[in-house]
Amino acid sequence: MIATLSFLTRRLSQGALIVFLAALIVFTLLRIGPGDPARMLAGGLSDQASVDALSKQMGLDDPFIVQFGKYIGGIVTHGDFGHSYIRSENGQSVGGGHGDSAGASNRASVISLILGRLPLSLALAAAGLGLALVISAPIGIWAGLRAGKWPDSVTIMGSSILVSMPSFWIAGLLVLLVSIKLQWLPAVGYSGPKYLILPAIVLAIEMAPIFIRTWSSAISSMTRRDFIRVAPVRGLGSKAVFTRHVLRGAAVPFINTLGVMLTSLIGSLLVIEYVFDFPGLGKLTVEAVMQRDFPLVQAIAIVISTFFVLVNIAVDYVSGLFDPRLDY
Amino acid sequence: MSSVTTNPAAAKPAQPSTRELAMGRRIWLATRSSPWFLMGAVLFALLLIMAVVSVFVFQVDPTKMNFVDKFSPPMGAEGAKSQFPLGTDQLGRDMLSRTLVGLQITFLIGLTATALSFIIGSAVGLYAGFVGGKIDQILMRIVDIQMSIPPIILAITILGLARATPALVISVLVLATWPNYARLTRSGALAERSQEYVRAARVLGASNIRIILLMVAPIALPPMAFAAVFDLARMMIFECVLDFLGIGLQPPTPTLGVIIADGRKYLMNAWWIAVLPGVFLMLLLLSLNMMGTALERARNAVFEGAK
């Protein structure tokens, strides 16, 4: 219990530092890049004086350190990630010289934008990941127990082919086949759970082969261990050996892979949501970058690196439960 | 319960002589005989030769438009024209030469980026693991921070701000990947650091750099070859994804990602524009994944057998 507590405090404080530095790096990158947000918000036809005034009002004239300090201060003291440069509360674009006042009042708060898109992304992630896990476990374990024989070879071949299909390409193929030719499922956008199916399948195709590989190599390497080989001598039935020793031992590599996949999930979601025009966090991210909506990009970067850090801590903790020899 | 080993090579009785060979050599021996590796290598070589030879052989300009022949279907389909084996796109550009130029770009960027991140990452990892202490801690914290920024966020932040050039795309890929190598090699170097031969070399007056380059690197690096092969595949996908999202290399440069993004608009009436370049990309990735799998399995078999 004490060990767990000290592990958590140590890793969480390290994690907070890492997220802080990641925020600093992204903040810096956005500031040193080209493009003036004040000019963009005021609109291309505004005169220099109004651009300058807006820039002053937004605090863009402050020294870098002051800007960053205010930003982090706002987050820490009252969870304020700032307001979008582009989007208004009612979902319409503001700024860009439409003549409306670009005050903070009618611009959407970044946090509400993110929270609005998050549920759809989570649903897609859960559906895709769930599908991948359900498919991969039986196949991987089945192949792992028959290492070196034909099931193993077929599985290697199959998962190599699947893992070699880029998601943006396979998405196009599926849309062509299922939506255009057969007209079974809707292809793009979102208006109902039906729209989850194709993106979730693409996500599962991307992830399942990696889980299959992890299961099969972990299981086959466990069956080679001496303590598994001699287990029948101790009078254990093959079922008991499998559930108590082989599966338990293979769980650690599986959890590690799950952690890696959870972190790479973000990149996959981004591409898949973009391809399917699926209104989740990934599509929001691409749009925010394209529109140079700095506050939104920063906040998304912070949210995602926090997620990264938490997943890594969870993976190390859970691995320790399965294999007490691992020192966390 | 099956007790058969995974790799055909490892299933043979271990000859006493291989025990004395260096780790890297043993992994290579076990890899070489794997059918997966052979198939992957042949496929990879074929694609590489196609990409290289096409530089000299094809005189068709991949950006040359030809409105008379636009949307010409590929070989085998109805109405195909023999001078365009993979058909033409919406502007009548030859798909075969476009695909091959795309393949060249993918090879160039993937190989350069993988080589650079391997070199940078393993230099940092070897040095950190070998020297230890404060330097090690500082370097590894940098690695941690770098790894906590999701690669895709890093990539779109940088590429969203600046105009993408091949050099910039390569830098982004390297920036996103080098920490992996640093982590992997560090643990290898850490294990070698207190070995007798290292101490002996030190007593003889060898410098750190000399020991690292001549003694530790040849032991710690070969087991990572599999990671580099998988990474090459990952880099190639990543590059295509960036082009596809429209933040990587831009049209009219015919990279595979650009072509597929372009062809998506014409899926309904000209499926081949998006589909066929993807087949080439898939074959390339498949060849790498097969080689990587063979290397990884050989490495695991050698390491587990060596215990």
Side-chain angles (χ1 to χ4, degrees):
Chain A
M1 192 60 209
I2 292 174
T4 310
L5 269 182
S6 85
F7 164 77
L8 283 180
T9 19
R10 186 164 47 88
R11 290 294 298 270
L12 284 176
S13 52
Q14 271 179 9
L17 182 66
I18 287 176
V19 172
F20 174 78
L21 289 170
L24 178 62
I25 291 171
V26 172
F27 196 87
T28 315
L29 278 177
L30 291 176
R31 289 302 175 286
I32 59 177
D36 177 5
R39 160 65 66 189
M40 195 178 68
L41 273 180
L45 295 175
S46 309
D47 55 297
Q48 192 58 42
S50 58
V51 173
D52 289 345
L54 188 59
S55 171
K56 199 171 170 65
Q57 181 207 332
M58 290 167 67
L60 293 172
D61 291 346
D62 294 340
F64 175 77
I65 288 294
V66 176
Q67 286 188 39
F68 185 65
K70 273 187 191 161
Y71 181 64
I72 291 292
I75 295 172
V76 175
T77 50
H78 37 274
D80 175 20
F81 283 85
H83 289 79
S84 162
Y85 284 168
I86 316 279
R87 288 153 196 275
S88 66
E89 290 293 355
N90 56 18
Q92 270 164 357
S93 283
V94 294
H98 297 304
D100 45 9
S101 70
S105 53
N106 63 353
R107 288 188 283 128
S109 87
V110 163
I111 214 70
S112 73
L113 283 174
I114 294 179
L115 290 180
R117 297 291 194 102
L118 198 58
L120 271 184
S121 284
L122 287 179
L124 175 55
L129 191 62
L131 191 60
L133 290 176
V134 169
I135 297 170
S136 61
I139 299 179
I141 293 170
W142 175 73
L145 289 175
R146 289 159 187 78
K149 301 188 185 140
W150 69 266
D152 187 35
S153 309
V154 171
T155 316
I156 297 182
M157 195 65 214
S159 58
S160 293
I161 291 177
L162 283 185
V163 85
S164 303
M165 296 183 178
S167 60
F168 58 90
W169 179 69
I170 196 80
L173 272 189
L174 281 178
V175 167
L176 179 65
L177 215 70
V178 180
S179 301
I180 298 177
K181 289 259 147 73
L182 300 170
Q183 306 206 319
W184 281 350
L185 288 170
V188 294
Y190 186 83
S191 50
K194 246 184 154 181
Y195 287 80
L196 268 174
I197 301 175
L198 271 188
I201 289 176
V202 174
L203 191 57
I205 289 179
E206 193 172 342
M207 299 208 281
I210 298 173
F211 286 124
I212 290 177
R213 253 195 212 164
T214 307
W215 275 121
S216 78
S217 83
I219 296 272
S220 78
S221 105
M222 283 310 291
T223 56
R224 284 202 296 267
R225 300 284 165 86
D226 287 338
F227 77 94
I228 302 282
R229 288 193 192 174
V230 300
V233 182
R234 286 163 51 211
L236 292 173
S238 64
K239 242 193 196 130
V241 176
F242 178 71
T243 50
R244 255 196 268 165
H245 296 303
V246 177
L247 262 191
R248 193 188 164 110
V252 175
F254 168 71
I255 290 162
N256 278 313
T257 306
L258 185 62
V260 173
M261 294 315 285
L262 279 177
T263 51
S264 75
L265 187 65
I266 294 152
S268 315
L269 276 181
L270 200 137
V271 175
I272 292 173
E273 288 183 6
Y274 175 80
V275 176
F276 285 101
D277 206 19
F278 186 88
L281 196 56
K283 187 160 164 272
L284 185 69
T285 311
V286 179
E287 288 167 356
V289 170
M290 298 292 189
Q291 298 170 329
R292 294 171 193 254
D293 196 348
F294 292 173
L296 194 49
V297 177
Q298 272 156 214
I300 291 173
I302 291 176
V303 168
I304 292 177
S305 35
T306 310
F307 176 73
F308 256 53
V309 165
L310 291 180
V311 166
N312 283 330
I313 296 175
V315 164
D316 287 351
Y317 180 67
V318 177
S319 306
L321 294 183
F322 277 93
D323 188 347
R325 287 171 306 172
L326 294 174
D327 174 31
Y328 54 70
Chain B
M1 193 77 24
S2 152
S3 63
V4 182
T5 42
T6 334
N7 195 287
K12 288 183 210 145
Q15 290 136 5
S17 59
T18 58
R19 284 255 152 195
E20 275 132 47
L21 291 174
M23 211 56 129
R25 183 130 186 83
R26 283 168 60 194
I27 293 175
W28 172 234
L29 282 177
T31 309
R32 210 175 47 181
S33 50
S34 153
W36 302 111
F37 185 78
L38 286 177
M39 282 157 67
V42 168
L43 192 53
F44 184 79
L46 268 176
L47 288 165
L48 185 61
I49 291 170
M50 279 173 77
V52 172
V53 167
S54 67
V55 179
F56 305 104
V57 173
F58 280 98
Q59 297 305 322
V60 188
D61 183 355
T63 55
K64 188 185 158 210
M65 300 177 216
N66 185 352
F67 289 102
V68 182
D69 290 319
K70 69 182 178 182
F71 293 126
S72 163
M75 244 176 352
E78 208 178 319
K81 296 197 174 72
S82 59
Q83 71 267 41
F84 304 119
L86 294 187
T88 59
D89 66 3
Q90 71 278 11
L91 298 174
R93 294 174 294 194
D94 176 34
M95 285 306 296
L96 180 64
S97 58
R98 280 173 77 71
T99 304
L100 289 175
V101 172
L103 214 51
Q104 287 164 17
I105 296 170
T106 301
F107 268 115
L108 196 71
I109 290 184
L111 288 170
T112 317
T114 309
L116 281 178
S117 47
F118 189 91
I119 292 170
I120 296 171
S122 40
V124 171
L126 283 175
Y127 191 71
F130 190 80
V131 180
K134 278 250 160 58
I135 296 177
D136 178 31
Q137 290 214 335
I138 293 171
L139 287 174
M140 283 304 117
R141 284 298 86 77
I142 295 177
V143 166
D144 281 345
I145 294 164
Q146 172 86 70
M147 285 180 97
S148 74
I149 306 181
I152 189 82
I153 294 289
L154 192 71
I156 62 178
T157 310
I158 296 177
L159 291 172
L161 289 171
R163 202 183 148 68
T165 58
L168 188 63
V169 172
I170 291 173
S171 329
V172 168
L173 295 177
V174 172
L175 207 54
T177 323
W178 74 271
N180 297 336
Y181 292 103
R183 265 213 183 150
L184 283 169
T185 37
R186 175 181 172 265
S187 56
L190 209 57
E192 298 302 321
R193 180 168 111 188
S194 47
Q195 298 279 329
E196 297 231 329
Y197 74 92
V198 171
R199 279 189 287 166
R202 225 181 236 145
V203 171
L204 288 174
S207 65
N208 271 348
I209 298 295
R210 190 182 169 85
I211 300 176
I212 291 175
L213 284 181
L214 293 182
M215 303 173 137
V216 179
I219 294 176
L221 293 187
M224 290 174 30
F226 84 95
V229 173
F230 280 135
D231 259 340
L232 183 53
R234 219 169 294 146
M235 297 265 202
M236 287 169 165
I237 288 202
F238 203 13
E239 184 254 326
C240 290
V241 163
L242 293 175
D243 298 346
F244 180 81
L245 290 177
I247 51 178
L249 299 177
Q250 303 289 325
T253 316
T255 72
L256 294 176
V258 166
I259 301 176
I260 295 173
D262 233 18
R264 244 162 47 90
K265 297 170 210 143
Y266 307 96
L267 260 185
M268 293 262 221
N269 45 9
W271 55 270
W272 58 89
I273 303 176
V275 173
L276 293 182
V279 172
F280 278 81
L281 180 58
M282 193 197 100
L283 289 176
L284 178 57
L285 299 172
L286 178 62
S287 75
L288 288 168
N289 281 317
M290 281 162 75
M291 287 194 283
T293 306
L295 275 168
E296 188 183 20
R297 291 204 156 201
R299 173 187 170 275
N300 289 348
V302 167
F303 268 60
E304 277 166 22
K307 262 178 200 163

